[in-house]
Amino acid sequence: MKDSSSVNQLATTLRKELDRYSEGEKLPSSRALVTRHQVSPVTVSRAIAALAAEGLVTSRPGAGVFKAAARRHTGALGDVSWQEVALSADPPHAAIDAGPRGTDAAGVLATLTAPPPEVIDLNGGYLHAALQPERALAAALARAGRRPGTWSRPPVEGLAELRDWFARDIGGPAGPLDASDVLITAGGQGALTTALRALAAPGSAVLVESPTYPGMLAVARAAGLRPVPVPVDADGVRTDLLAEAFAATRARVFVCQPLFHNPTGAVLSAQRRPDVLAVARASGAFVVEDDFARRLAHADAPALPLPLAADDPDGVVVHVRSLTKAASPSLRIGALTARGPALERLRAIQVVDSFFVPRPLQETALELVGSPAWTRHLRVLSAALRERRTALLTALGSALPTLLPQQPPRGGYHLWLRLPDGTDEHAVTATALRHGVAVTAGGPYFTAEAPAPHLRLSYVSASGTAQLEEGVGRLHRALAENSALPA
């Protein structure tokens, strides 16, 4: 954290000093900057790189660093009104056959947009730097860089060793899966995009849990699909309603998160697990199992159920697994697992979209998961998640006891809070931001009108438990200002 702060401070200073330089004028040498600002050569190098990325300086090997020429506007914006027609004028049959092509990324951007430094982040979906295995990642990256062939082209399906690791991680050492059933993807979001595009025809219905992850809804709608909600309760998806939804829509895909569901935290009960597979099989449909939270179990979690894919010899389940949530937002490595002809369809879609996942990233992931540091990290992370969940629940119990969830999850990274009827959740989130805390409104997690107002609070993007406690205090003040607290 200190290194990052020093780089930012030096970059800010140099940015101001550039005003005194003419275009093309040479800046002081790195050695001179080290002496003048009392920083390390690495800090100078990174600050210069930041300025170069902004287009403010240019670096010429052997010559030095120079102030870049100012960017000059090339003229007024032309008439782009034609795009309004081009982006909307689908053929007459498109409304029936393909559905709307618009992409609503609001729900995704809400969790990707970093708030200002003074705002406590109870919104984000990725581990704070304090929770990431930075040393293990750096070591894995260094080892990967020394592997022969790291910069050569990988197989389009992914490295065989990494595919084999995912197969064993998902199905167990003696499970039904092997490396030939796995495709390496660019993270979980990329896997979901490939799965929905491959398995459902444009214009068709896709069954989703209600509420559900907004990023999946965005993927479905961008593919021209119609998300149809199936309600979730404390035991996971309502399988009686799932059967009715398949019969009513003739859908061929159901997307679910059986473990630590986002946003409710529910775990699909043992009684319903076989029902999900039986209902889908009877309907001739696939189950896309988004197993995003398996490596986010808390230290006090009971034994985890196996993935649905581990109990499926018939190829009903298409499994999605990612390393990103448990490691780093930049380690965008995931896996799609399928059996039968569906795998070839998934492979074809992925190859057309992206060719392959960069080999250096795959090699880094392979080095990481094969090291003792990965097991240690998961153990430390598990304890930290329990500590943060407990701190957040304790703070809520003190300041906002009526909002406490009845069954706090023992996995994942968020709490799902039911607000009083009539509460304007969007007004609450806006007021909370003014008070210095970022939280997520529940509306984007529903495919249509939400049955009740909710907030989702994440506890992995804050710096620690003290910030979580302070964030709840700020949220309390925001709710009071919006008259959203029970009398």
Side-chain angles (χ1 to χ4, degrees):
M1 294 299 290
K2 290 183 179 179
D3 289 345
S4 176
S5 176
S6 298
V7 171
N8 291 336
Q9 291 174 7
L10 180 58
T12 299
T13 300
L14 295 179
R15 207 176 282 115
K16 294 177 181 177
E17 292 181 355
L18 281 174
D19 292 338
R20 304 200 304 265
Y21 288 79
S22 304
E23 290 183 10
E25 186 176 350
K26 185 177 180 180
L27 274 65
S29 67
S30 295
R31 182 176 299 177
L33 292 174
V34 166
T35 302
R36 179 188 302 176
H37 298 284
Q38 295 298 295
V39 294
S40 70
V42 172
T43 297
V44 170
S45 176
R46 290 179 176 174
I48 293 296
L51 298 184
E54 297 171 19
L56 300 178
V57 300
T58 57
S59 180
R60 303 172 194 166
V65 178
F66 303 82
K67 181 175 179 178
R71 298 177 183 174
R72 291 176 171 79
H73 191 48
T74 56
L77 181 66
D79 182 5
V80 297
S81 56
W82 65 272
Q83 293 185 4
E84 190 171 349
V85 177
L87 293 172
S88 306
D90 288 316
H93 57 78
I96 298 174
D97 293 343
R101 292 187 297 142
T103 301
D104 181 5
V108 180
L109 290 173
T111 59
L112 290 179
T113 302
E118 67 274 10
V119 174
I120 294 174
D121 189 357
L122 302 186
N123 173 67
Y126 295 111
L127 299 182
H128 187 273
L131 295 174
Q132 295 175 26
E134 291 187 341
R135 289 185 179 179
L137 285 164
L141 181 62
R143 292 195 302 271
R146 295 192 294 268
R147 279 180 171 238
T150 287
W151 291 97
S152 63
R153 187 181 70 186
V156 294
E157 300 87 354
L159 297 180
E161 301 96 322
L162 189 57
R163 296 165 68 200
D164 182 65
W165 181 86
F166 270 111
R168 288 183 281 107
D169 191 53
I170 295 166
L177 306 173
D178 60 35
S180 64
D181 301 317
V182 179
L183 295 176
I184 301 302
T185 67
Q189 188 73 5
L192 286 172
T193 300
T194 297
L196 290 184
R197 288 189 58 213
L199 303 176
S204 65
V206 56
L207 304 187
V208 301
E209 294 168 314
S210 181
T212 194
Y213 166 53
M216 190 277 299
L217 296 177
V219 166
R221 288 167 177 151
L225 306 176
R226 295 184 294 109
V228 176
V230 183
V232 168
D233 62 19
D235 291 322
V237 66
R238 290 271 307 274
T239 48
D240 56 332
L241 299 178
L242 179 64
E244 293 180 9
F246 271 124
T249 63
R250 298 183 180 179
R252 290 293 179 263
V253 178
F254 168 52
V255 186
C256 63
Q257 295 177 331
L259 186 65
F260 306 129
H261 169 258
N262 183 10
T264 68
V267 176
L268 185 64
S269 69
Q271 294 75 25
R272 292 185 184 178
R273 285 171 57 88
D275 292 344
V276 168
L277 296 179
V279 168
R281 187 181 294 109
S283 303
F286 292 97
V287 174
V288 176
E289 180 184 20
D290 181 6
D291 201 15
F292 79 102
R294 186 156 296 269
R295 294 294 173 251
L296 300 176
H298 302 174
D300 57 355
L304 301 184
L306 291 173
L308 295 178
D311 296 327
D312 168 44
D314 301 326
V316 172
V317 178
V318 172
H319 187 88
V320 175
R321 176 74 61 87
S322 171
L323 296 176
T324 307
K325 290 292 188 186
S328 163
S330 289
L331 188 67
R332 302 208 61 77
I333 290 289
L336 263 175
T337 303
R339 310 185 79 190
L343 183 67
E344 186 57 34
R345 177 78 64 86
L346 293 165
R347 177 180 179 273
I349 291 290
Q350 172 155 306
V351 168
V352 169
D353 282 350
S354 58
F355 289 3
F356 47 78
V357 176
R359 181 162 185 159
L361 203 57
Q362 293 191 56
E363 297 280 9
T364 299
L366 192 57
E367 287 286 352
L368 177 68
V369 299
S371 70
W374 177 241
T375 303
R376 289 196 299 270
H377 163 66
L378 293 178
R379 186 168 58 249
V380 171
L381 178 61
S382 178
L385 291 174
R386 177 183 60 181
E387 180 184 22
R388 286 171 174 245
R389 181 206 70 208
T390 301
L392 188 58
L393 287 170
T394 301
L396 286 169
S398 176
L400 299 164
T402 59
L403 301 187
L404 280 171
Q406 291 185 347
Q407 293 182 329
R410 294 187 182 182
Y413 54 86
H414 52 266
L415 298 179
W416 184 240
L417 309 185
R418 168 72 152 80
L419 296 176
D421 290 337
T423 302
D424 184 341
E425 60 184 30
H426 296 289
V428 168
T429 58
T431 305
L433 197 57
R434 289 205 317 272
H435 282 272
V437 58
V439 296
T440 310
Y445 290 80
F446 294 91
T447 58
E449 293 82 4
H454 291 84
L455 290 181
R456 196 193 76 149
L457 304 188
S458 167
Y459 44 84
V460 293
S461 296
S463 62
T465 55
Q467 265 206 346
L468 294 175
E469 293 162 0
E470 174 61 24
V472 170
R474 296 180 186 186
L475 177 60
H476 178 268
R477 293 191 287 274
L479 288 166
E481 184 174 319
N482 278 271
S483 302
L485 295 177

